[in-house]
Amino acid sequence: MADGDGKTVLVTGGTGYLAGWCIAELLRRGYRVRTTVRNPSREPEIRAAIGTLTDSHHNLSVHSADLLSDEHWNLLAVGCDYVLHVASPLPASQPKNADELIVPARDGTLRVVRAALDAGVERIVLTSSVAAIRGGNEGRAVDETIWTDLDASGLTPYVRSKTIAERAAWDLAEERNMRDRIATVNPTVIIGPMLSDDRSASLQVIERLLNGMPAMPRLGFGYVDVRDVADLELRAMTSPEAAGERFVAVTKFLWMSEVAEVLRERLGPRASKVPTRVAPNLLVRAMSLFDGGIRSFVGSLGKRTEYATTKAHDRLGWSPRPVEDSIAETAESLIEHGAVQVPTAHFG
């Protein structure tokens, strides 16, 4: 892929897990980057995280902006060649009021897309989710032509928020006859190394397995490495083939029991707490009454959803790393950052 040639990219949500990797990769490829934070006091935190990967700090500027406010977005978009809209809430558990997620996701997306289109940027890459694809379609093979059915029963606020926000972005672009200015990347569960101690909720499955639980629910997810998602975002940003298109970002579907096997194989004694038993669905449903993290996924128990990725591979040349490597590196990173406590007797 070509270097940035000094072009400028606006990346929203600079303190986020995926945003950090996107920023670092952009800087390494020679782009100038503007990123946004709600709290400007977090700028040193961003620079410290990015500094673990690149020393191109002189090409990074950090700006205050809030997705719930119109202020600053128009000014930040002016002079940018591209926009990566990465910022969006990803809760550890679902709120009782769905609007707590839907409103900032939808309105924030519209603020960013509107400002970017007004500023005449070449491409806006919106980070959506397979949540905008799989809702009501669990247990079947799906691709980018499929949309979550908002009338389906049991949709979580997160699934609704990602679907509504992405649809709103496409509707706005089409109203302006600018569909080709937009591309979306729809990742599955994002895993991989952490850049700071501030870990993403998307690492929760591996974290829970390493910290131990009596038994695993019969749940499975598609997984993808954060570095590969960042790479796909940049490919979608610059490739003519990405204009007006959605791209699923997934490496492989694995049941939690399969993730557990990888952890035991790769980490040995350090994975001693990883469970070996699979819990009956009835028990998991009962547990979900008391555990918001489990409640979010009860509707997917026992369902295998396969996502087609031929579009990203064939059109953009995307080639993600093996998911087993990503799982192992995620675990190593969680241990390194103190998110998982491994008994010292297990070292050596």
Side-chain angles (χ1 to χ4, degrees):
M1 296 177 67
D3 289 337
D5 296 326
K7 289 192 171 185
T8 300
V9 185
L10 173 62
V11 180
T12 65
T15 56
Y17 180 44
L18 174 58
W21 281 98
C22 286
I23 292 167
E25 191 58 32
L26 286 164
L27 292 172
R28 288 200 295 201
R29 297 189 192 186
Y31 290 93
R32 290 192 297 266
V33 179
R34 301 174 188 173
T35 193
T36 63
V37 292
R38 280 180 295 176
N39 184 352
S41 68
R42 297 191 69 179
E43 178 173 349
E45 177 186 331
I46 294 174
R47 292 191 180 276
I50 303 306
T52 63
L53 299 174
T54 178
D55 57 3
S56 301
H57 281 266
H58 57 284
N59 283 330
L60 171 65
S61 59
V62 181
H63 307 267
S64 178
D66 192 325
L67 291 175
L68 296 178
S69 169
D70 291 330
E71 194 176 7
H72 303 308
W73 291 110
N74 287 337
L75 187 61
L76 286 171
V78 170
C80 288
D81 299 281
Y82 307 106
V83 172
L84 300 185
H85 179 42
V86 187
S88 188
L90 174 59
S93 60
Q94 300 295 316
K96 291 182 179 178
N97 183 354
D99 282 345
E100 289 181 26
L101 283 181
I102 293 172
V103 172
R106 180 195 62 213
D107 293 1
T109 295
L110 287 174
R111 283 187 175 94
V112 173
V113 172
R114 191 176 292 116
L117 292 176
D118 287 346
V121 303
E122 296 176 39
R123 178 73 47 78
I124 306 156
V125 180
L126 170 67
T127 306
S128 184
S129 168
V130 292
I133 293 173
R134 73 164 185 266
N137 301 305
E138 292 90 347
R140 54 177 284 204
V142 295
D143 61 19
E144 293 90 347
T145 65
I146 304 297
W147 280 90
T148 283
D149 178 4
L150 288 171
D151 293 326
S153 62
L155 296 184
T156 65
Y158 176 71
V159 169
R160 294 183 64 81
S161 74
K162 297 304 291 188
T163 307
I164 290 169
E166 187 187 342
R167 281 224 179 258
W170 285 119
D171 288 346
L172 176 59
E174 286 172 358
E175 284 171 17
R176 297 195 178 190
N177 294 316
M178 293 182 173
R179 182 183 173 89
D180 63 343
R181 298 288 182 94
I182 298 226
T184 67
V185 171
N186 298 65
T188 49
V189 175
I190 300 177
I191 60 175
M194 300 157 58
L195 291 180
S196 72
D197 292 342
D198 187 12
R199 62 191 181 277
S200 167
S202 65
L203 306 181
Q204 193 176 82
V205 170
I206 295 174
E207 183 180 341
R208 283 187 173 219
L209 287 172
L210 285 171
N211 278 326
M213 56 176 72
M216 296 168 282
R218 184 165 166 70
L219 279 174
F221 306 96
Y223 292 92
V224 64
D225 194 291
V226 65
R227 294 162 293 186
D228 294 321
V229 181
D231 177 61
L232 183 56
E233 297 253 351
L234 270 64
R235 289 173 185 269
M237 182 181 84
T238 57
S239 172
E241 294 287 324
E245 300 290 346
R246 306 170 86 199
F247 295 93
V248 168
V250 60
T251 306
K252 193 175 183 181
F253 178 97
L254 293 173
W255 296 107
M256 283 184 71
S257 57
E258 293 176 308
V259 176
E261 288 176 17
V262 173
L263 291 171
R264 283 192 292 271
E265 179 184 327
R266 294 293 187 94
L267 271 70
R270 291 179 297 165
S272 61
K273 294 181 182 178
V274 173
T276 56
R277 295 185 299 165
V278 176
N281 288 354
L282 188 62
L283 175 61
V284 177
R285 292 184 192 282
M287 289 168 57
S288 73
L289 299 175
F290 310 99
D291 188 327
I294 295 176
R295 192 180 310 124
S296 302
F297 302 107
V298 160
S300 298
L301 279 171
K303 295 180 180 178
R304 184 186 188 97
T305 305
E306 293 285 359
Y307 303 94
T309 58
T310 51
K311 192 173 177 183
H313 292 294
D314 294 350
R315 295 199 187 184
L316 303 184
W318 186 60
S319 182
R321 70 204 70 209
V323 71
E324 294 80 7
D325 292 349
S326 299
I327 290 168
E329 289 185 62
T330 303
E332 297 282 3
S333 187
L334 285 165
I335 293 169
E336 178 186 343
H337 287 273
V340 173
Q341 298 302 316
V342 177
T344 54
H346 289 159
F347 285 107

